[in-house]
Amino acid sequence: MAWDFETDPDFQRELDWIEEFVRDEIEPLDYVVPNPYDIAEPIRAELIPPLQAVVRERGLWACHLGPELGGQGYGQVKLALMNEILGRARCASTIFGAQAPDTGNSEILAHYGTDEQKKRWLEPLLANEIVSAFSMTEPQGGADPKVFTTRAVRDGDEWVINGEKWFTSNARNAAFLIVMVVTDPDNPPYQQQSMLIVPTDTPGVEVIRNVGLGGEPGTEGAHGYLRYTDVRVPAEALLGPQGGAFVVAQTRLGGGRIHHAMRTVGLVRRSLDMMAERALSRTTQGEQLARKQMVQEMIADSWLDLETFRLLVLRTAWRIDRYQDYRKVRGDISAVKAMMPRVLRDVASRALQIHGSLGASNEMPFTHYVTESFHMGLADGPTEVHKVTLAREVLGAYKPSDDLFPTLHLPKLRDAARQRFADVLTRNGQTV
């Protein structure tokens, strides 16, 4: 029987190196690199590639990928321990070749791409010579593919795409888009969609505007509102089987959700670290904040939230490694996805409160974390949908009672026990 909460010494040495490297070399970049996805930006071009070379030399580049694609092929538990460190810094995932949405898109290309697609798109994507975007959700239908209206119609040797997509993260920097479109409207609902690779410089691809999260200035956010007008791509742009987009999407979404949760552990821990430091550093009403019982309660609740969430993430990662089948861990992934925004929101909110007016200002990151928590509750499927999935998985392990009263109805259990031990009870003078 194996039951262990320790990391093997060799990998712990790698984690210690990652911790120091992120703290000393990467975290400062978050304050000078405008956008780690903008490969052409000169400051980014000067500062990030040398650190990527260090990571490659260390053998820690794109560890989620197998050796045939230049990675280590790490299982999800190792990735969880790595990503909770990388999650603290905005540039860290890019420097380690593990940035979303490129990680998920590379998984799709690795699983379903043709040799030509892999050569043209996957190889430069893995090298971080280009970046990509996943264009799925729509302004009128959110993430429900059953109501998508963006269509692709076959015209000879080409697909012609028309429609709009909403919140296509990183579209403004992407070299190509993986677009989910309706190709077979007469099929059953989950077999109507297909995936197409669309270069962003294709005529008819229009970024209506770049949408930011609440509080971000203007319309220069990271999430593209896109319009496709008579966009023509060759028939070979089809990624995976025609009508198979829903299955293809799950290839990236299952892993993407758990990796997002891993990185969120790092954000939550960072919030707790700042909260504890502030509580020990400030006094009010003649007493250190850390000695106030309500502050102690906030710190205790935050620690409990963090450690509970982290253990759930690690357990889910272990189950993915154990079964090698995302279908068997659907409920676990949904649980992690549903818990993630609440934990970040609650811990960041407490940290904000303990920092007072400074915490509510733009000189601390807490308002951004709180806003990001609401984005987390919508991206890759709304929290409510994941709770429904989890509930169905939980209920699937139970059976209804045929009796009028529940199986664990106390009078029924008491009568059964008295019948079972009737001889003992009678010998001791009790009536059965």
Side-chain angles (χ1 to χ4, degrees), residues 238-407:
L238 186 67
L239 185 56
Q242 184 172 331
F246 191 79
V247 174
V248 173
Q250 295 309 309
T251 300
R252 79 182 302 284
L253 291 174
R257 286 163 180 153
I258 185 68
H259 294 163
H260 199 176
M262 295 169 184
R263 292 188 291 268
T264 301
V265 171
L267 282 184
V268 176
R269 186 177 300 283
R270 194 177 191 203
S271 297
L272 176 59
D273 290 345
M274 289 186 282
M275 184 191 316
E277 180 191 75
R278 184 70 171 179
L280 290 168
S281 304
R282 303 291 288 182
T283 59
T284 184
Q285 299 295 320
E287 187 178 43
Q288 188 183 55
L289 274 178
R291 296 183 62 83
K292 304 289 187 185
Q293 288 186 337
M294 292 189 71
V295 171
Q296 291 172 351
E297 180 186 42
M298 286 191 280
I299 291 171
D301 285 344
S302 297
W303 187 93
L304 290 168
D305 286 344
L306 168 62
E307 293 302 322
T308 302
F309 177 54
R310 181 174 186 258
L311 286 173
L312 181 61
V313 170
L314 287 169
R315 178 182 178 274
T316 302
W318 176 85
R319 283 173 61 81
I320 295 171
D321 289 346
R322 172 71 174 80
Y323 296 115
Q324 295 296 310
D325 185 351
Y326 281 121
R327 291 172 299 181
K328 289 188 176 181
V329 290
R330 285 183 64 203
D332 304 84
I333 292 174
S334 286
V336 164
K337 177 65 172 63
M339 191 174 184
M340 173 172 63
R342 178 185 62 78
V343 171
L344 178 59
R345 181 169 60 251
D346 288 354
V347 176
S349 296
R350 295 182 194 119
L352 186 158
Q353 185 73 12
I354 287 175
H355 280 75
S357 58
L358 178 64
S361 76
N362 61 4
E363 295 187 0
M364 297 301 289
F366 305 124
T367 56
H368 172 71
Y369 289 174
V370 171
T371 302
E372 178 61 24
S373 75
F374 285 97
H375 179 217
M376 288 178 180
L378 297 170
D380 295 338
T383 295
E384 294 79 4
V385 171
H386 287 286
K387 287 184 176 181
V388 169
T389 297
L390 175 60
R392 287 173 176 167
E393 293 286 323
V394 171
L395 290 170
Y398 292 87
K399 295 180 179 178
S401 171
D402 295 331
D403 198 353
L404 176 63
F405 293 102
T407 301

Side-chain angles (χ1 to χ4, degrees), residues 20 30 56 87 110-111 114 117 129 139 149 157 159 163 172 198 214 239 254 261 286 314 323 354 359 429:
E20 181 179 357
D30 285 357
R56 285 190 174 95
H111 278 86
T114 64
Q117 288 171 342
E129 296 169 359
T149 59
D157 292 333
W159 291 100
R172 68 179 183 177
V198 180
L239 185 56
L314 287 169
Y323 296 115
I354 287 175

